[in-house]
Amino acid sequence: MSDQARRESPLAEFLAAPRKADPATGAGVQISERPFLGHINLRGDPSEKRFLEAVEGAIGVALPLEPNTVAEGGEISALWLGPDEWLLLTPPDRQRDVVLTLKAALGDTFAAVNDLSGGQTVVRIQGTHARDVLSKGCPLDLHPRVFGPGQCAQSHISKTMALIRQIDDTPTYDVIVRRSFADYLARWLEEAAQEYGLAVIAESPT
Amino acid sequence: MLLISCPWCGPREESEFSYGGEAHIVRPKDPDALSDLEWADYLFMRNNPSGRYLERWLHAAGCRRWFNAERDTVSYKIKSVYKISDPAPRGDE
């Protein structure tokens, strides 16, 4: 029975009515969701070589040790969350395999692997004015001189905690939030983006 | 609004942080051996200087690490930040 349950992304209701921007102004900002990705929280001691090697062997990417950076390898991204904490993003439905592989590789190494996939989602905001919209509610310095592709940072957007990662120079940002805050964030972004022309896109970007 | 430098994340706005009170308060090794007065002193009594103050901060909305800061309570200027395991910086005065 549970296999047949239809799963619903945290933004299902928000995305149910896609919105097009006013053709006269164009869309300065596009909002979409990358639902059902695998979110895995990984903790361990980076001064322990065995830990770093086991993780790299298991997921095919070396954990980023520089604060607020992202390492990408194959289909997995590793985002720095803290000096001993990372978030691994996997393609949809791959998290179980990755967790099992990680646990097997880590063995009795001092580490923790937790699957958070059901508790978080990724809101994508892109377009020429994406930076302006985020800056209305986020205290991070998002100026390209300071924050660019390959970097990530945890902060807050209006009243929700968020992990923000820049994907490209469009600019495109992926905002990782708790699922219970996703709808709030999307509606806040929708309002903040009104003046730039907003398109809400239902289908998820790749 | 203060701009506070997290030892890991660099300068961030105060709204990302939460305050943790005076730093370098050491928990007594044997609380049972303490008198009520000494225990109350450990729990509640804090310095309230005008000037240099060593205090704890938590980068709550960021990397969620505790660290210590050396702040001037008059000017609000944060002179230095250091990891919680580091010894207290020497004061100039």
Side-chain angles (χ1 to χ4, degrees), chain A residues 35-136:
Chain A
F36 311 125
L37 296 186
H39 297 240
I40 299 164
N41 183 279
L42 172 66
R43 298 199 67 170
D45 183 357
S47 64
E48 210 179 326
K49 213 173 153 211
R50 197 159 69 104
F51 166 73
L52 292 177
E53 286 172 351
V55 173
E56 187 172 354
I59 64 172
V61 55
L63 290 175
L65 298 181
E66 192 187 328
N68 298 304
T69 56
V70 181
E72 286 179 75
E75 53 181 17
I76 295 180
S77 315
L79 288 73
W80 187 95
L81 295 181
D84 58 4
E85 189 174 10
W86 294 267
L87 177 71
L88 309 179
L89 290 177
T90 79
D93 302 319
R94 289 274 293 114
Q95 63 269 23
R96 198 180 138 76
D97 294 342
V98 175
V99 167
L100 293 176
T101 314
L102 265 174
K103 282 190 171 164
L106 286 165
D108 62 352
T109 314
F110 184 66
V113 182
N114 286 295
D115 182 1
L116 311 176
S117 310
Q120 305 191 148
T121 193
V122 181
V123 179
R124 173 161 287 190
I125 170 163
Q126 75 184 121
T128 46
H129 287 288
R131 185 177 290 120
D132 303 321
V133 171
L134 287 180
S135 296
K136 286 187 186 184

XYZ file of all heavy atoms in Angstrom, chain A residues 35-136:
768
model
N 12.733 18.812 -6.424
C 12.179 17.979 -5.357
C 12.812 16.597 -5.297
O 13.421 16.140 -6.272
C 10.705 17.861 -5.762
C 10.714 17.964 -7.250
C 11.913 18.796 -7.638
N 12.666 15.960 -4.164
C 13.007 14.546 -3.967
C 14.486 14.224 -4.123
O 14.846 13.070 -4.348
C 12.184 13.650 -4.913
C 10.711 13.952 -4.905
C 10.034 14.238 -6.084
C 10.005 13.991 -3.710
C 8.686 14.536 -6.083
C 8.652 14.284 -3.691
C 7.988 14.554 -4.887
N 15.359 15.206 -4.044
C 16.784 14.891 -4.051
C 17.133 14.166 -2.755
O 16.411 14.268 -1.771
C 17.623 16.170 -4.142
C 17.498 17.031 -5.400
C 18.511 18.168 -5.347
C 17.716 16.206 -6.650
N 18.246 13.444 -2.783
C 18.724 12.834 -1.548
C 19.535 13.858 -0.764
O 20.438 14.496 -1.306
N 19.171 14.060 0.493
C 19.918 14.968 1.379
C 20.524 14.119 2.489
O 19.783 13.516 3.262
C 19.004 16.011 2.019
C 18.345 16.939 1.044
N 18.537 18.302 1.074
C 17.501 16.715 0.009
C 17.827 18.870 0.103
N 17.187 17.921 -0.554
N 21.825 14.081 2.578
C 22.464 13.270 3.616
C 23.391 14.142 4.452
O 24.255 14.843 3.906
C 23.274 12.115 2.986
C 22.336 11.207 2.189
C 23.998 11.320 4.069
C 23.054 10.300 1.234
N 23.176 14.102 5.752
C 24.054 14.847 6.653
C 25.182 13.926 7.099
O 24.939 12.807 7.533
C 23.253 15.345 7.862
C 24.100 16.193 8.788
O 24.850 15.666 9.601
N 24.004 17.501 8.660
N 26.403 14.421 6.956
C 27.567 13.614 7.301
C 28.417 14.362 8.305
O 28.719 15.543 8.114
C 28.388 13.344 6.020
C 29.744 12.664 6.211
C 29.583 11.254 6.738
C 30.502 12.651 4.889
N 28.772 13.684 9.398
C 29.646 14.311 10.384
C 30.826 13.398 10.658
O 30.685 12.172 10.651
C 28.890 14.589 11.690
C 27.735 15.550 11.473
C 27.287 16.167 12.756
N 28.318 17.040 13.296
C 28.124 17.872 14.316
N 26.958 17.922 14.912
N 29.090 18.634 14.761
N 31.971 14.007 10.883
C 33.168 13.243 11.179
C 34.326 14.196 11.396
O 34.199 15.404 11.200
N 35.435 13.645 11.812
C 36.595 14.468 12.146
C 37.537 14.576 10.951
O 38.161 13.594 10.559
C 37.325 13.828 13.339
C 38.507 14.662 13.783
O 38.790 15.697 13.140
O 39.148 14.280 14.778
N 37.645 15.782 10.335
C 38.469 15.921 9.129
C 39.966 15.794 9.409
O 40.757 15.693 8.468
C 38.119 17.317 8.606
C 37.655 18.062 9.804
C 37.014 17.058 10.722
N 40.356 15.810 10.701
C 41.783 15.622 10.971
C 42.126 14.125 10.949
O 43.287 13.747 11.000
C 42.153 16.233 12.328
O 41.488 15.552 13.365
N 41.090 13.313 10.840
C 41.316 11.872 10.764
C 41.374 11.466 9.291
O 40.358 11.528 8.584
C 40.166 11.141 11.467
C 40.570 9.834 12.077
C 39.401 9.166 12.790
O 38.556 9.877 13.361
O 39.331 7.945 12.753
N 42.543 11.046 8.847
C 42.752 10.742 7.433
C 41.844 9.592 6.981
O 41.315 9.598 5.869
C 44.222 10.368 7.212
C 44.755 10.786 5.852
C 46.246 10.545 5.757
C 46.612 10.326 4.299
N 47.746 9.440 4.128
N 41.681 8.636 7.875
C 40.879 7.453 7.561
C 39.432 7.833 7.205
O 38.818 7.263 6.309
C 40.884 6.527 8.791
C 40.472 5.106 8.541
C 41.006 4.226 9.656
N 40.337 4.504 10.923
C 39.400 3.717 11.470
N 39.050 2.605 10.865
N 38.831 4.020 12.622
N 38.915 8.829 7.927
C 37.549 9.296 7.671
C 37.445 9.911 6.271
O 36.563 9.566 5.482
C 37.145 10.309 8.747
C 35.918 11.107 8.423
C 34.657 10.525 8.475
C 36.009 12.445 8.055
C 33.516 11.251 8.171
C 34.872 13.180 7.741
C 33.630 12.583 7.797
N 38.385 10.814 5.957
C 38.338 11.503 4.666
C 38.482 10.516 3.513
O 37.778 10.599 2.505
C 39.439 12.567 4.588
C 39.269 13.769 5.522
C 40.457 14.712 5.397
C 37.972 14.517 5.222
N 39.391 9.561 3.677
C 39.623 8.595 2.596
C 38.427 7.671 2.406
O 38.042 7.360 1.280
C 40.886 7.778 2.897
C 42.157 8.590 2.694
C 43.413 7.868 3.175
O 43.279 6.800 3.816
O 44.506 8.382 2.915
N 37.824 7.261 3.512
C 36.660 6.374 3.419
C 35.512 7.067 2.694
O 34.848 6.481 1.835
C 36.227 5.933 4.809
N 35.302 8.354 3.022
C 34.205 9.090 2.390
C 34.480 9.278 0.906
O 33.612 9.037 0.059
C 34.002 10.458 3.084
C 32.991 11.290 2.314
C 33.550 10.261 4.517
N 35.704 9.671 0.590
C 36.022 9.899 -0.823
C 35.879 8.606 -1.626
O 35.353 8.605 -2.745
C 37.450 10.468 -0.969
C 37.749 10.878 -2.400
C 39.066 11.618 -2.545
O 39.708 11.914 -1.519
O 39.439 11.889 -3.700
N 36.304 7.512 -1.018
C 36.169 6.226 -1.693
C 34.712 5.844 -1.914
O 34.357 5.253 -2.932
N 33.863 6.211 -0.977
C 32.460 5.800 -1.040
C 31.635 6.669 -1.978
O 30.750 6.172 -2.676
C 31.842 5.820 0.363
N 31.898 7.970 -2.010
C 31.026 8.854 -2.802
C 31.738 9.439 -4.022
O 31.128 10.115 -4.832
C 30.440 10.007 -1.946
C 31.543 10.938 -1.424
C 29.618 9.461 -0.786
C 31.006 12.187 -0.753
N 33.037 9.193 -4.142
C 33.744 9.620 -5.344
C 34.071 11.099 -5.378
O 34.422 11.641 -6.426
N 33.955 11.780 -4.252
C 34.333 13.195 -4.218
C 34.958 13.480 -2.850
O 34.505 12.956 -1.831
C 33.120 14.115 -4.515
C 31.969 13.838 -3.582
C 33.511 15.582 -4.439
N 36.038 14.272 -2.879
C 36.700 14.620 -1.616
C 35.886 15.694 -0.914
O 35.439 16.652 -1.549
C 38.112 15.118 -1.892
N 35.683 15.548 0.386
C 34.906 16.539 1.134
C 35.607 17.894 1.094
O 36.826 17.971 1.232
C 34.755 16.092 2.590
C 33.859 14.881 2.825
C 33.899 14.475 4.286
C 32.426 15.165 2.405
N 34.844 18.977 0.896
C 35.465 20.302 0.909
C 35.858 20.673 2.340
O 35.034 20.574 3.251
C 34.353 21.216 0.388
C 33.089 20.508 0.700
C 33.390 19.033 0.681
N 37.106 21.067 2.537
C 37.563 21.411 3.887
C 37.596 22.920 4.105
O 37.687 23.399 5.222
C 38.947 20.810 4.144
C 38.980 19.273 4.085
C 40.376 18.753 4.376
C 37.984 18.653 5.052
N 37.546 23.661 3.001
C 37.511 25.114 3.130
C 36.077 25.541 3.465
O 35.124 25.081 2.820
C 37.953 25.762 1.813
C 38.229 27.235 1.949
C 38.488 27.878 0.582
O 39.033 27.195 -0.297
O 38.125 29.039 0.424
N 35.909 26.390 4.486
C 34.552 26.767 4.892
C 33.716 27.329 3.736
O 34.223 28.063 2.887
C 34.786 27.844 5.957
C 36.105 27.514 6.542
C 36.918 26.953 5.411
N 32.446 26.972 3.736
C 31.470 27.523 2.792
C 31.822 27.282 1.330
O 31.657 28.173 0.487
C 31.257 29.020 3.067
C 30.692 29.258 4.450
O 29.657 28.726 4.809
N 31.408 30.026 5.248
N 32.332 26.084 1.041
C 32.566 25.730 -0.354
C 31.865 24.415 -0.670
O 31.462 23.677 0.213
C 34.062 25.584 -0.675
O 34.627 24.613 0.213
C 34.800 26.894 -0.527
N 31.740 24.159 -1.982
C 31.056 22.966 -2.465
C 32.033 22.151 -3.293
O 32.811 22.708 -4.059
C 29.852 23.358 -3.363
C 29.118 22.116 -3.839
C 28.910 24.289 -2.620
N 32.017 20.831 -3.116
C 32.804 19.955 -3.986
C 31.830 19.099 -4.776
O 30.873 18.572 -4.227
C 33.733 19.077 -3.149
N 32.055 19.004 -6.077
C 31.170 18.205 -6.897
C 31.948 17.102 -7.569
O 33.070 17.310 -8.029
C 30.506 19.082 -7.965
C 29.439 19.976 -7.387
C 28.804 20.849 -8.449
O 28.010 20.322 -9.226
O 29.130 22.043 -8.484
N 31.357 15.925 -7.605
C 32.000 14.822 -8.292
C 30.936 13.860 -8.741
O 30.139 13.408 -7.945
N 30.891 13.578 -10.041
C 29.862 12.673 -10.540
C 28.489 13.216 -10.220
O 28.180 14.372 -10.487
N 27.675 12.414 -9.572
C 26.296 12.834 -9.332
C 26.097 13.375 -7.918
O 24.987 13.734 -7.545
C 25.346 11.663 -9.578
C 25.721 10.419 -8.804
C 24.767 9.260 -9.105
O 24.054 9.355 -10.123
O 24.729 8.316 -8.324
N 27.153 13.435 -7.130
C 27.007 13.872 -5.739
C 27.705 15.205 -5.504
O 28.818 15.433 -5.985
C 27.575 12.795 -4.792
C 26.715 11.525 -4.901
C 27.603 13.285 -3.349
C 27.157 10.390 -4.024
N 27.037 16.104 -4.783
C 27.668 17.349 -4.340
C 27.844 17.287 -2.838
O 26.952 16.812 -2.128
C 26.806 18.567 -4.671
O 26.318 18.501 -5.972
N 28.972 17.794 -2.371
C 29.221 17.859 -0.934
C 29.337 19.323 -0.543
O 30.166 20.057 -1.071
C 30.493 17.101 -0.579
N 28.467 19.753 0.374
C 28.446 21.154 0.807
C 28.976 21.257 2.234
O 28.550 20.510 3.107
C 27.016 21.711 0.758
C 26.398 21.984 -0.619
C 26.023 20.706 -1.334
C 25.171 22.879 -0.488
N 29.878 22.214 2.447
C 30.444 22.430 3.778
C 29.394 23.063 4.677
O 28.801 24.082 4.341
C 31.648 23.356 3.653
C 32.444 23.560 4.920
C 33.556 22.876 5.295
C 32.222 24.549 5.949
N 34.022 23.358 6.496
C 33.234 24.372 6.921
C 31.269 25.547 6.149
C 33.316 25.172 8.069
C 31.340 26.330 7.296
C 32.367 26.139 8.240
N 29.143 22.456 5.835
C 28.195 23.042 6.784
C 28.901 23.535 8.035
O 28.429 24.437 8.723
C 27.149 22.010 7.204
C 26.188 21.471 6.151
C 25.229 20.483 6.786
C 25.418 22.586 5.494
N 30.009 22.894 8.365
C 30.748 23.235 9.573
C 32.072 22.502 9.515
O 32.294 21.685 8.617
N 32.965 22.789 10.473
C 34.290 22.164 10.428
C 34.244 20.635 10.523
O 35.219 19.984 10.157
C 35.018 22.758 11.640
C 34.012 23.509 12.418
C 32.838 23.778 11.548
N 33.123 20.075 10.978
C 33.037 18.612 11.016
C 31.694 18.130 10.473
O 31.190 17.090 10.856
C 33.255 18.086 12.442
C 32.231 18.678 13.415
O 31.342 19.415 12.953
O 32.326 18.395 14.612
N 31.103 18.918 9.578
C 29.752 18.602 9.120
C 29.564 18.970 7.654
O 29.962 20.053 7.229
C 28.749 19.370 9.997
C 27.311 18.972 9.776
C 26.374 19.650 10.777
O 26.821 20.551 11.500
O 25.200 19.282 10.799
N 28.942 18.062 6.891
C 28.713 18.303 5.469
C 27.311 17.858 5.089
O 26.709 17.019 5.754
C 29.716 17.509 4.619
C 31.120 17.966 4.798
C 31.791 18.890 4.043
C 32.046 17.548 5.817
N 33.063 19.064 4.524
C 33.248 18.262 5.605
C 31.976 16.660 6.874
C 34.364 18.105 6.426
C 33.081 16.497 7.691
C 34.261 17.207 7.465
N 26.808 18.435 3.992
C 25.553 17.962 3.420
C 25.869 17.361 2.057
O 26.505 18.006 1.213
C 24.554 19.119 3.257
C 23.232 18.711 2.601
C 22.407 17.857 3.549
C 22.429 19.937 2.173
N 25.442 16.128 1.848
C 25.630 15.490 0.546
C 24.300 15.513 -0.188
O 23.280 15.104 0.358
C 26.093 14.036 0.718
C 27.294 13.802 1.635
C 27.619 12.325 1.716
C 28.506 14.578 1.134
N 24.315 16.010 -1.429
C 23.110 16.010 -2.248
C 23.270 14.951 -3.329
O 24.273 14.942 -4.051
C 22.895 17.382 -2.891
C 22.487 18.513 -1.952
C 22.392 19.827 -2.709
C 21.151 18.209 -1.276
N 22.289 14.070 -3.422
C 22.342 13.019 -4.430
C 21.126 13.163 -5.352
O 20.154 13.831 -4.994
C 22.295 11.621 -3.791
O 20.936 11.325 -3.436
C 23.161 11.541 -2.547
N 21.154 12.530 -6.520
C 19.966 12.538 -7.385
C 18.808 11.841 -6.659
O 19.035 11.090 -5.700
C 20.402 11.730 -8.605
C 21.882 11.762 -8.590
C 22.279 11.842 -7.152
N 17.574 12.073 -7.123
C 16.415 11.470 -6.468
C 16.570 9.955 -6.329
O 17.070 9.288 -7.235
C 15.252 11.815 -7.405
C 15.690 13.064 -8.086
C 17.176 12.957 -8.236
N 16.159 9.449 -5.212
C 16.093 8.012 -4.934
C 17.450 7.317 -4.866
O 17.521 6.102 -4.896
C 15.202 7.295 -5.976
C 13.809 7.884 -5.991
O 13.291 8.178 -4.900
O 13.258 8.085 -7.086
N 18.519 8.081 -4.778
C 19.837 7.453 -4.668
C 20.351 7.487 -3.226
O 21.370 6.892 -2.911
C 20.836 8.161 -5.602
C 20.593 7.892 -7.063
C 21.268 6.605 -7.530
N 22.717 6.713 -7.486
C 23.490 6.005 -6.676
N 22.971 5.127 -5.856
N 24.795 6.172 -6.698
N 19.634 8.190 -2.345
C 20.178 8.419 -1.008
C 20.386 7.136 -0.213
O 21.343 7.001 0.535
C 19.305 9.414 -0.215
C 17.897 8.979 0.079
C 16.935 9.413 -1.010
O 17.343 9.655 -2.153
N 15.660 9.521 -0.685
N 19.485 6.168 -0.412
C 19.587 4.933 0.364
C 20.879 4.196 0.026
O 21.617 3.762 0.916
C 18.374 4.051 0.088
C 18.167 2.978 1.120
C 16.938 2.126 0.781
N 17.240 0.724 1.019
C 17.301 0.178 2.228
N 17.072 0.905 3.285
N 17.584 -1.096 2.386
N 21.163 4.097 -1.271
C 22.407 3.434 -1.695
C 23.620 4.156 -1.132
O 24.564 3.536 -0.650
C 22.515 3.434 -3.230
C 21.437 2.568 -3.858
O 20.871 1.741 -3.112
O 21.176 2.729 -5.056
N 23.582 5.508 -1.219
C 24.738 6.280 -0.767
C 24.939 6.118 0.738
O 26.068 5.938 1.207
C 24.574 7.775 -1.150
C 25.714 8.597 -0.586
C 24.506 7.926 -2.664
N 23.854 6.141 1.500
C 23.964 5.967 2.952
C 24.573 4.606 3.272
O 25.505 4.497 4.087
C 22.573 6.118 3.634
C 22.626 5.620 5.062
C 22.130 7.568 3.606
N 24.078 3.567 2.598
C 24.586 2.218 2.878
C 26.059 2.100 2.486
O 26.868 1.524 3.224
C 23.738 1.170 2.142
C 22.294 1.044 2.655
C 21.503 0.058 1.821
C 22.277 0.631 4.120
N 26.410 2.653 1.325
C 27.808 2.601 0.887
C 28.708 3.333 1.877
O 29.780 2.865 2.245
C 27.954 3.264 -0.507
O 26.913 2.787 -1.348
C 29.295 2.951 -1.124
N 28.229 4.530 2.315
C 29.013 5.320 3.267
C 29.207 4.567 4.578
O 30.315 4.498 5.116
C 28.298 6.637 3.553
C 28.711 7.858 2.739
C 27.794 9.021 3.050
C 30.154 8.247 3.022
N 28.117 4.013 5.080
C 28.199 3.320 6.365
C 29.143 2.138 6.279
O 29.927 1.874 7.195
C 26.803 2.876 6.821
C 26.004 4.026 7.408
C 24.731 3.558 8.089
C 24.097 4.711 8.852
N 22.710 4.457 9.220
N 29.077 1.415 5.155
C 29.965 0.266 4.988
C 31.413 0.716 4.925
O 32.302 0.110 5.525
C 29.578 -0.504 3.730
N 31.652 1.831 4.199
C 33.035 2.304 4.031
C 33.588 2.855 5.341
O 34.771 2.703 5.644
C 33.085 3.369 2.940
N 32.723 3.494 6.130
C 33.202 4.130 7.358
C 33.455 3.103 8.463
O 34.325 3.308 9.311
C 32.189 5.182 7.832
C 32.179 6.463 6.993
C 30.936 7.291 7.279
C 33.428 7.302 7.250
N 32.699 2.015 8.451
C 32.908 0.980 9.463
C 32.835 1.551 10.866
O 31.852 2.208 11.217
N 33.896 1.361 11.630
C 33.874 1.847 13.013
C 34.555 3.204 13.147
O 34.864 3.643 14.249
C 34.528 0.821 13.949
C 35.986 0.586 13.593
O 36.424 1.110 12.540
O 36.686 -0.095 14.363
N 34.792 3.881 12.020
C 35.338 5.237 12.095
C 34.355 6.134 12.857
O 33.150 5.951 12.762
C 35.536 5.818 10.675
O 36.166 4.834 9.874
C 36.367 7.066 10.692
N 34.893 7.110 13.605
C 34.045 8.033 14.360
C 33.330 8.971 13.387
O 33.932 9.917 12.877
C 34.904 8.817 15.348
C 34.115 9.717 16.243
C 33.240 9.191 17.180
C 34.251 11.090 16.159
C 32.507 10.025 18.012
C 33.523 11.927 16.989
C 32.653 11.377 17.917
N 32.079 8.669 13.087
C 31.348 9.440 12.090
C 29.855 9.192 12.247
O 29.447 8.241 12.908
C 31.790 9.049 10.679
N 29.055 10.078 11.650
C 27.608 9.908 11.670
C 27.039 10.190 10.285
O 27.423 11.165 9.643
C 26.973 10.844 12.697
N 26.161 9.330 9.830
C 25.518 9.505 8.528
C 24.010 9.498 8.750
O 23.475 8.540 9.304
C 25.882 8.347 7.572
C 25.254 8.576 6.205
C 27.385 8.198 7.451
N 23.351 10.575 8.358
C 21.904 10.649 8.559
C 21.189 11.096 7.290
O 21.569 12.086 6.673
C 21.574 11.632 9.697
C 21.908 11.045 11.042
O 21.321 10.060 11.469
N 22.902 11.620 11.698
N 20.152 10.356 6.948
C 19.361 10.677 5.762
C 18.292 11.707 6.129
O 17.407 11.434 6.924
C 18.705 9.388 5.237
C 17.906 9.644 3.978
O 17.887 10.800 3.516
O 17.308 8.689 3.464
N 18.414 12.911 5.552
C 17.459 13.994 5.850
C 16.518 14.254 4.683
O 15.815 15.259 4.668
C 18.209 15.298 6.154
C 19.363 15.275 7.144
C 20.015 16.644 7.203
C 18.878 14.875 8.513
N 16.535 13.366 3.694
C 15.855 13.659 2.424
C 14.394 14.067 2.603
O 13.903 14.942 1.895
C 15.925 12.443 1.506
O 17.242 11.975 1.436
N 13.703 13.427 3.523
C 12.295 13.750 3.692
C 12.060 15.082 4.370
O 10.952 15.607 4.352
N 13.097 15.651 4.958
C 12.906 16.845 5.768
C 13.320 18.135 5.106
O 13.120 19.215 5.658
N 13.908 18.040 3.930
C 14.413 19.256 3.277
C 14.040 19.247 1.801
O 13.751 18.205 1.234
C 15.952 19.315 3.379
C 16.468 19.213 4.787
C 17.945 19.527 4.908
O 18.370 20.047 5.913
N 18.733 19.190 3.907
N 14.093 20.420 1.211
C 13.932 20.486 -0.231
C 14.798 21.612 -0.784
O 15.382 22.386 -0.022
C 12.463 20.682 -0.649
O 12.334 20.441 -2.053
C 11.979 22.084 -0.328
N 14.895 21.678 -2.098
C 15.727 22.689 -2.742
C 14.843 23.601 -3.582
O 14.125 23.137 -4.464
C 16.798 22.034 -3.647
C 17.667 23.110 -4.276
C 17.635 21.051 -2.850
N 14.887 24.883 -3.266
C 14.165 25.874 -4.063
C 15.181 26.555 -4.957
O 16.204 27.049 -4.484
C 13.480 26.917 -3.155
C 12.753 27.956 -3.989
C 12.526 26.244 -2.189
N 14.916 26.554 -6.251
C 15.858 27.190 -7.169
C 15.327 28.550 -7.572
O 14.158 28.705 -7.938
C 16.068 26.327 -8.409
C 16.914 27.034 -9.459
C 17.496 26.079 -10.451
N 18.586 25.299 -9.861
C 19.396 24.513 -10.579
N 19.239 24.401 -11.873
N 20.357 23.838 -9.989
N 16.209 29.543 -7.459
C 15.822 30.887 -7.882
C 16.888 31.377 -8.851
O 18.075 31.345 -8.547
C 15.615 31.829 -6.672
C 15.447 33.272 -7.131
C 16.714 31.720 -5.636
C 14.837 34.160 -6.074
N 16.451 31.746 -10.053
C 17.429 32.183 -11.043
C 16.903 33.335 -11.871
O 15.697 33.593 -11.904
C 17.871 31.025 -11.931
C 16.867 30.594 -12.974
C 17.371 29.363 -13.732
O 16.733 28.327 -13.742
N 18.532 29.468 -14.367
N 17.805 34.035 -12.509
C 17.431 35.177 -13.318
C 18.286 36.376 -12.967
O 18.970 36.386 -11.945
N 18.212 37.374 -13.835
C 19.104 38.517 -13.678
C 18.911 39.231 -12.336
O 19.824 39.876 -11.839
C 18.889 39.532 -14.823
O 17.477 39.710 -14.990
C 19.477 39.036 -16.122
N 17.689 39.129 -11.774
C 17.438 39.824 -10.508
C 17.388 38.890 -9.306
O 16.941 39.291 -8.233
C 16.137 40.628 -10.595
C 16.264 41.861 -11.444
N 16.965 42.970 -11.040
C 15.813 42.132 -12.688
C 16.929 43.890 -11.998
N 16.234 43.400 -13.011
N 17.835 37.639 -9.482
C 17.776 36.673 -8.379
C 18.540 37.189 -7.161
O 18.102 37.050 -6.019
C 18.337 35.329 -8.829
N 19.699 37.818 -7.434
C 20.521 38.321 -6.318
C 19.782 39.426 -5.565
O 19.798 39.468 -4.336
C 21.852 38.841 -6.878
C 22.840 39.271 -5.809
C 24.159 39.702 -6.429
N 24.900 38.598 -6.982
C 25.262 38.485 -8.258
N 24.927 39.422 -9.116
N 25.940 37.446 -8.668
N 19.102 40.303 -6.311
C 18.370 41.401 -5.669
C 17.256 40.870 -4.781
O 17.010 41.403 -3.692
C 17.765 42.326 -6.735
C 18.835 42.867 -7.669
O 19.927 43.173 -7.170
O 18.570 42.963 -8.884
N 16.587 39.829 -5.252
C 15.473 39.274 -4.479
C 15.992 38.673 -3.173
O 15.474 38.957 -2.093
C 14.715 38.214 -5.302
C 13.705 37.483 -4.432
C 14.017 38.867 -6.478
N 17.040 37.861 -3.268
C 17.579 37.235 -2.058
C 18.079 38.289 -1.075
O 17.895 38.176 0.133
C 18.723 36.279 -2.407
C 18.323 34.956 -3.065
C 19.559 34.119 -3.339
C 17.359 34.180 -2.184
N 18.703 39.328 -1.613
C 19.297 40.345 -0.755
C 18.251 41.104 0.060
O 18.582 41.735 1.060
C 20.101 41.345 -1.592
O 21.177 40.676 -2.203
N 17.000 41.042 -0.366
C 15.959 41.735 0.399
C 15.751 41.103 1.772
O 15.298 41.772 2.698
C 14.630 41.696 -0.365
C 14.579 42.623 -1.552
C 13.171 42.611 -2.109
C 13.079 43.420 -3.390
N 11.698 43.489 -3.879
